[in-house]
Amino acid sequence: MLITRDIAEELKSSYIDYAMSVIVGRALPDVRDGLKPVQRRILYAMHEMGLRSDRPFKKCARIVGEVLGKYHPHGDAAVYDALVRLAQDFTMRYPLIDGQGNFGSIDGDSPAAMRYTEARLSRIAEEMLADIERETVDFVPNFDATLQEPAYLPSRIPNLLVNGSSGIAVGMATNIPPHNLTEVCSAIIHYIRNPQASLEELMQFIKGPDFPTGGQIVGIEGIIEAYRTGRGKITVRGKAEIEEDRIVIREIPYMVNKAKLVESIAELAKDLGEIKTIRDESDREGIRVVVELRDGADSENVLKKLYMHTNLETTFGITLLALVNNEPRVLSLAEMISHFVEHRRDVLRRKITYELKRARERLHIVEGLKRVIEDIDAAIALIKASKSPSEAKKALMERYSLSEQQADAVLQTRLQKLTSLEIQSLIDEHSQLVRTISEYESILADPKKLDELLISEMEEIMGKYGDPRRTEIISHAEESIIAEDNIVLVTSQGFAKRMNPGAFRRQERGGTGVIGVQLKDDDVAFFGICRSDEKLLLFTDKGNAFCLDIEEIPKMDRNSGGVSLKRMLRLEDERVVSAVGVRSFEEGEVLILSSGSHIKRVPLKEFENAKRAGIKASSEKIEFAAPLRGKDVFMVTEMGYVLRTRAEDIPVYSRNSRGVIAMRPGSGDRISWIATGSSDRLLLLTERGYGKACETSKFRTLHRGARGVIGYRVTEKTGKVVFAELCSDGDLFLVSRDGYCIRVSIQEIPVQGRSSSGVIVSRKGVWRGFVYREPSD
C-alpha cells in the first residue's frame, strides 16, 4: 500500500525519533543509577556470569561477547571501550570493574586487546546490583525480546554524583564531575532528615567535585552556580611544588593526558628560556614530573606561566544533565539528591514488599506444618491409611483445614524433621516469621522507619567505601599580581616581552642608546608603559583584536627577543600593528585608524570579549590604535602635517564598521600617529632621530576631514615624522627600527616653531616611543 506523506514532516518525525533514541538509549545516564545503557548492560551481564569481586577473573572478550549477544547489539569496540573506562582508576573516582592486565594509562596509552585482559566486578559495583533478584527494579525485554534486562539498577551508592558522567547526545550534552562518596552520603542523610535543606546546607557536606587525579579547584563561584542551576564552569589545576631550582608536578587536572602535558611544557620551554629540562619520573607510586629551571629563574613566575599556557590548568564545564523518567533534564544538586533518595525509597519499599510476600508464604507453610505436627501420630496414621498421595493430600486438607500448598509441604516433610529438636526449630521459626512480618508491615506503613533504614544504609556504605577527599578547593588563586610599571614591547611578528623601566638609564639628547630588543626581519609594533595588573589589547592588520593579561608576558632582559604570542593568542597570518593598555573595559574609548584614513571611536566595553581567539575590530585593515584621553585629538602625517580636531567630532561606531574620514593627506602622504591628551606642548619625532616640541596653541582646531597645517618641516636629513605625543615633562623612551632604545629627558628637547626641522635626539633613529613619568613615593 502506497502512503503519501510530506517529506518535511517525515524528516522531522524521523529525526526526532533518532534524537530520542540516542538521548535515551545511548548517550545520557539515568538519574537513578547514574549509568548509560551500555554500562548498565556490562555490569548486569557480569553479574549474571557470576563475576563477583571474590571470584576468579574472566577474559574481557568473553564478557564483551555476552553483552553483545544478549543485551547490546552494537559494535564490540564500543562495549570494550566502556568496560575499560569503568576499570580505569584515573577516570572513575570509584571504579566499578576490577581489571587485570593493560587497561590504558593516564598518558593516553591504549588498552590491550580484549583477548588479553581480564575483569570482574569490584566490591562497590556489587552494591549497584544488590537485591536485583528481589523485584526491586523494572525489567524490560532485550533487543530481540528473548530475555529480560533491568531498566535501571537498584544502586545502593549514589553513582551519578560519585562517579560522574559525560556524554554527547543530539542537541545536548552532559558533563557531571565525580564527587567524594563520604561527602555525598553525608549530604543525602542530611537531606532525608531535612527535605527543605538549602544549597548552602548541602554544601556544608559536599564541598565540590572530587577528581580521581586530585589537583586543585580554584574558586567556589563556579561550583555554587553549577549546583544551583545545573550549569557552571570551574578552574582545575594540577598540584606542583617548588623545590629549590625545580618545579615538581605531583597531580594533574582531571582528563588531562600527562604525556601531552609534558610535551606542551617542553614546547613552552623553547620560548621561556627559564626552563632547562623536563623529566617524567612517574611510576607505580604516582605522578612526578620534574621541571628543572636555569640559575636565577623566578620559579613562582615560571609556575604561573605553566598554569597559563599549558593544560596544568584547565576549565571544566559542568552540565548536570540526566534522564528523569526517560526525559533529559538539567538538575540542581538538591534535585539530584532528591531523585536518588526517591529511587532508594522505592527500591527499599519493593524489596520489603518482596520479603514480606516471601515471609507470608513461608508462614502459611509453617502454620500448616505446625498444625499437623501437634497431632503427628494421627496424621501419620491418616497418611498410612490412604491409598495414594492424592488421597492422603485430600484427607489432610479435610482433617486439619489445610490449603493445597500446606498439604503438599506436609507430605514432602522428611522423617528426620519429626525429631524434638526439629519440631522446636519449626515452632521458633513460626514465632520469628510472625515478628518479621509485623516489622515489615510497620516499615511499609511508616515512611519515617523506611527513611531510618535508608540512613543506616548510607552510613554502612560510608563505612565500607568512604575515603578522604583528593581534590583540594581553594577560594582563589594564591598568587597575587604586583602592580608595577613595566615597559611592554611587541613586534609586528608577534614576539613580546616586559622590561623594567629602571633597566634603561637616562642619557643626553643625541646619543645612540642601548640595545632594547633583538630583531630579525621584524619591527616594533608597540612600545609603551603598562601596569602589570592591566590587560593588553592588540590590533592586527587583518582588522582583529586580541586581549591578554600583561602579567602573561614574561619579564626579560634587554637583549632577548621576547616570546611568541602565538602560544597565547590565535594569531594566523596577521601582523600586530598597534596595542593599547587597558585597566578596565567598563569605561573609556579607543580610536581606531584604518586604511583609507578612516577613523572611529569605539567604546572599550565592546572589546570585553576580545580573548585569545580574537574578535573583529574593523571591517578594514587597521593601521593604528590609541586610547582616547582628553578633548583634543592631534593627527600627524609622515610629511609633517598636523590636524587638531575635537574628540566629539569623531563619531562613535561599532567594531564592525569602517568609520569616517579622519583627514585628507596630500599625495604620497599618510597618517603616521595620533596623539590624545592634555598638554601645552606637542612632541614630534622623525624616523632619523630628529625631534622638537611645539606649543599646542600654534595649532588651531579644525574640522575632521581637513588636511591640517604644517607642524614639522620634513627634509631628506630628518626623514618622515613617525611619532607624536602631548607632554611637557617626564622621560621620553624611543626605540629604533633595529631595536636600539634611548631614554631622554623631555626638558632637553627644545620648543621650536611649526616650520622648523628640530634637533637630533637619537642617532639610531626613531620608530616607536612613549613618555614615562616615574611614580612618586
Side-chain angles (χ1 to χ4, degrees):
M1 182 175 68
L2 183 65
I3 299 175
T4 303
R5 191 175 181 192
D6 181 66
I7 190 169
E9 286 299 318
E10 179 64 28
L11 286 172
K12 182 179 177 181
S13 174
S14 298
Y15 189 77
I16 290 174
D17 290 343
Y18 159 72
M20 288 307 298
S21 174
V22 172
I23 289 167
V24 176
R26 289 199 188 185
L28 300 183
D30 193 289
V31 72
R32 293 167 288 193
D33 60 10
L35 296 173
K36 300 178 189 179
V38 65
Q39 297 170 330
R40 186 179 304 117
R41 289 162 178 167
I42 290 170
L43 296 183
Y44 182 66
M46 294 177 72
H47 173 75
E48 289 285 283
M49 293 170 69
L51 295 180
R52 294 193 294 272
S53 61
D54 57 351
R55 297 289 181 86
F57 291 91
K58 287 278 172 62
K59 286 286 185 183
C60 288
R62 182 172 172 184
I63 299 169
V64 171
E66 188 84 1
V67 175
L68 285 178
K70 290 184 175 180
Y71 308 114
H72 197 74
H74 300 287
D76 61 331
V79 176
Y80 185 53
D81 286 347
L83 187 153
V84 165
R85 186 179 174 84
L86 291 173
Q88 291 175 334
D89 59 2
F90 53 87
T91 299
M92 304 289 287
R93 182 62 178 83
Y94 301 91
L96 300 178
I97 289 179
D98 187 7
Q100 184 168 268
N102 174 15
F103 276 79
S105 74
I106 200 169
D107 285 324
D109 299 319
S110 300
M114 67 180 82
R115 62 183 177 274
Y116 299 119
T117 55
E118 297 178 330
R120 64 185 178 191
L121 293 172
S122 64
R123 283 180 61 227
I124 201 167
E126 293 177 8
E127 305 290 352
M128 298 279 293
L129 293 144
D131 304 320
I132 196 169
E133 296 88 358
R134 300 184 182 183
E135 299 178 359
T136 51
V137 296
D138 297 330
F139 277 74
V140 295
N142 70 336
F143 63 91
D144 60 0
T146 58
L147 296 168
Q148 295 283 307
E149 63 174 309
Y152 53 93
L153 299 185
S155 186
R156 294 183 74 202
I157 64 168
N159 183 61
L160 185 60
L161 273 170
V162 299
N163 271 324
S165 184
S166 64
I168 300 173
V170 178
M172 61 187 70
T174 185
N175 202 27
I176 303 172
H179 291 77
N180 184 271
L181 180 65
T182 302
E183 293 182 359
V184 174
C185 289
S186 299
I188 289 171
I189 292 171
H190 181 77
Y191 177 84
I192 294 169
R193 291 174 176 162
N194 305 275
Q196 303 303 318
S198 65
L199 175 62
E200 289 71 22
E201 289 179 64
L202 295 176
M203 287 191 67
Q204 292 295 315
F205 302 96
I206 301 178
K207 306 299 183 185
D210 187 26
F211 299 109
T213 53
Q216 294 177 324
I217 296 173
V218 181
I220 61 172
E221 293 80 9
I223 299 173
I224 295 171
E225 182 69 15
Y227 287 169
R228 177 176 289 115
T229 67
R231 298 182 188 275
K233 288 183 179 179
I234 57 174
T235 299
V236 185
R237 57 168 53 171
K239 276 188 182 178
E241 300 171 1
I242 296 174
E243 300 177 356
E244 297 178 355
D245 58 348
R246 67 179 62 175
I247 296 171
V248 180
I249 301 168
R250 300 190 182 277
E251 295 176 7
I252 65 176
Y254 184 54
M255 300 305 290
V256 167
N257 184 310
K258 177 165 65 67
K260 289 185 178 178
L261 172 63
V262 172
E263 286 178 17
S264 66
I265 296 175
E267 284 294 317
L268 182 65
K270 295 178 183 177
D271 291 331
L272 279 186
E274 296 172 283
I275 298 176
K276 185 163 58 177
T277 58
I278 176 170
R279 299 189 307 276
D280 186 357
E281 299 179 356
S282 306
D283 54 20
R284 291 178 180 271
E285 301 301 317
I287 292 173
R288 180 180 167 87
V289 177
V290 180
V291 181
E292 295 280 357
L293 305 179
R294 298 188 186 279
D295 293 340
D298 184 344
S299 53
E300 292 282 354
N301 191 48
V302 173
L303 182 56
K304 286 185 207 173
K305 299 299 180 293
L306 295 181
Y307 285 139
M308 288 177 185
H309 306 307
T310 71
N311 277 343
L312 192 59
E313 180 174 294
T314 62
T315 299
F316 189 97
I318 298 175
T319 305
L320 306 180
L321 178 71
L323 294 175
V324 180
N325 297 323
N326 281 339
E327 292 182 4
R329 280 184 53 192
V330 177
L331 305 168
S332 66
L333 177 66
E335 287 173 327
M336 293 179 78
I337 291 175
S338 171
H339 284 296
F340 177 76
V341 168
E342 285 304 316
H343 162 63
R344 282 308 301 170
R345 283 172 177 160
D346 180 62
V347 167
L348 286 173
R349 198 178 294 114
R350 292 173 70 162
K351 174 188 173 183
I352 292 169
T353 301
Y354 174 82
E355 294 291 352
L356 177 60
K357 177 184 173 185
R358 293 286 299 272
R360 283 172 174 168
E361 289 173 353
R362 179 60 184 166
L363 180 62
H364 180 65
I365 298 299
V366 170
E367 283 178 340
L369 291 173
K370 185 171 175 287
R371 200 177 305 159
V372 171
I373 285 173
E374 287 173 350
D375 190 24
I376 189 62
D377 293 334
I380 291 173
L382 182 66
I383 293 169
K384 288 173 69 178
S386 301
K387 294 181 179 179
S388 66
S390 59
E391 187 179 319
K393 178 179 176 181
K394 187 176 181 182
L396 286 169
M397 291 172 66
E398 291 174 354
R399 173 78 177 267
Y400 298 103
S401 301
L402 301 179
S403 68
E404 190 172 338
Q405 292 86 356
Q406 288 173 322
D408 283 336
V410 170
L411 289 172
Q412 291 169 10
T413 302
R414 297 163 66 180
L415 291 176
Q416 70 179 29
K417 294 288 185 181
L418 301 179
T419 63
S420 60
L421 193 61
E422 289 294 328
I423 291 172
Q424 184 60 45
S425 175
L426 188 67
I427 295 170
D428 293 343
E429 183 183 1
H430 180 273
S431 302
Q432 180 62 42
L433 284 169
V434 171
R435 287 194 299 271
T436 300
I437 289 170
S438 175
E439 183 182 344
Y440 285 159
E441 287 174 339
S442 68
I443 291 173
L444 291 175
D446 188 353
K448 289 184 178 179
K449 289 186 177 180
L450 192 70
D451 282 349
E452 286 303 317
L453 202 61
L454 182 51
I455 289 172
S456 298
E457 185 180 83
M458 289 296 104
E459 289 172 344
E460 179 192 346
I461 292 295
M462 275 197 293
K464 289 167 72 174
Y465 307 104
D467 61 354
R469 163 174 278 278
R470 297 182 189 176
T471 302
E472 181 185 359
I473 299 175
I474 55 178
S475 58
H476 55 82
E478 294 179 350
E479 71 274 0
S480 60
I481 298 174
I482 300 172
E484 60 179 0
D485 289 336
N486 293 146
I487 295 175
V488 177
L489 189 149
V490 183
T491 74
S492 59
Q493 294 290 348
F495 288 87
K497 68 174 179 176
R498 284 188 296 150
M499 296 175 285
N500 192 322
F504 299 91
R505 60 181 178 84
R506 187 180 296 165
Q507 297 183 22
E508 293 183 0
R509 174 179 61 79
T512 58
V514 294
I515 193 70
V517 61
Q518 293 284 354
L519 295 173
K520 293 181 179 179
D521 302 323
D522 200 357
D523 55 47
V524 176
F526 174 76
F527 184 59
I529 196 78
C530 297
R531 282 166 55 97
S532 53
D533 57 350
E534 293 180 342
K535 294 183 181 294
L536 190 66
L537 190 60
L538 297 113
F539 298 89
T540 70
D541 59 352
K542 293 284 184 69
N544 297 319
F546 299 82
C547 187
L548 78 162
D549 293 327
I550 299 289
E551 182 72 6
E552 293 184 57
I553 302 172
K555 262 191 173 181
M556 295 183 172
D557 59 33
R558 293 188 293 101
N559 295 311
S560 62
V563 299
S564 175
L565 291 179
K566 291 181 179 179
R567 295 198 58 81
M568 312 173 201
L569 309 173
R570 204 175 296 170
L571 291 167
E572 297 178 1
D573 300 324
E574 49 193 320
R575 293 168 63 87
V576 179
V577 294
S578 198
V580 173
V582 179
R583 186 166 300 180
S584 171
F585 287 98
E586 293 302 315
E587 56 185 17
E589 295 174 333
V590 62
L591 293 172
I592 297 178
L593 179 72
S594 58
S595 58
S597 297
H598 290 108
I599 195 169
K600 62 180 177 180
R601 284 189 291 150
V602 184
L604 280 172
K605 194 169 182 64
E606 289 212 20
F607 295 99
E608 198 168 12
N609 295 322
K611 308 298 182 185
R612 301 173 192 277
I615 58 174
K616 204 68 180 170
S618 174
S619 58
E620 294 184 325
K621 177 181 177 181
I622 295 176
E623 293 189 350
F624 189 81
L628 179 59
R629 303 187 186 97
K631 297 180 180 179
D632 286 336
V633 176
F634 287 77
M635 289 176 269
V636 181
T637 72
E638 292 179 340
M639 301 309 294
Y641 279 83
V642 177
L643 172 63
R644 178 181 184 177
T645 189
R646 287 184 294 271
E648 62 186 30
D649 286 345
I650 302 172
V652 176
Y653 280 101
S654 66
R655 289 185 290 104
N656 293 317
S657 62
R658 184 177 67 171
V660 295
I661 291 295
M663 66 183 295
R664 301 183 189 277
S667 177
D669 198 5
R670 59 184 288 272
I671 299 173
S672 60
W673 203 270
I674 299 175
T676 65
S678 299
S679 177
D680 58 356
R681 292 183 185 179
L682 175 66
L683 197 65
L684 298 166
L685 288 110
T686 68
E687 60 184 345
R688 293 190 177 172
Y690 285 80
K692 67 174 182 179
C694 289
E695 295 178 357
T696 54
S697 59
K698 302 294 183 182
F699 300 94
R700 70 181 186 276
T701 302
L702 300 173
H703 290 295
R704 172 190 54 78
R707 185 181 182 184
V709 297
I710 192 70
Y712 201 104
R713 187 164 62 87
V714 172
T715 64
E716 186 176 344
K717 180 178 72 172
T718 64
K720 299 173 182 177
V721 177
V722 293
F723 174 72
E725 189 61 86
L726 287 162
C727 60
S728 56
D729 59 357
D731 286 350
L732 179 64
F733 281 75
L734 300 171
V735 65
S736 65
R737 266 189 187 273
D738 55 359
Y740 276 80
C741 180
I742 188 171
R743 177 178 183 176
V744 179
S745 172
I746 288 176
Q747 301 299 325
E748 292 195 26
I749 300 174
V751 177
Q752 296 183 351
R754 289 193 293 109
S755 58
S756 64
S757 297
V759 296
I760 189 70
V761 177
S762 171
R763 295 198 179 277
K764 280 289 185 177
V766 174
W767 184 241
R768 293 284 186 267
F770 66 88
V771 174
Y772 176 60
R773 298 175 182 86
E774 291 192 19
S776 57
D777 295 333

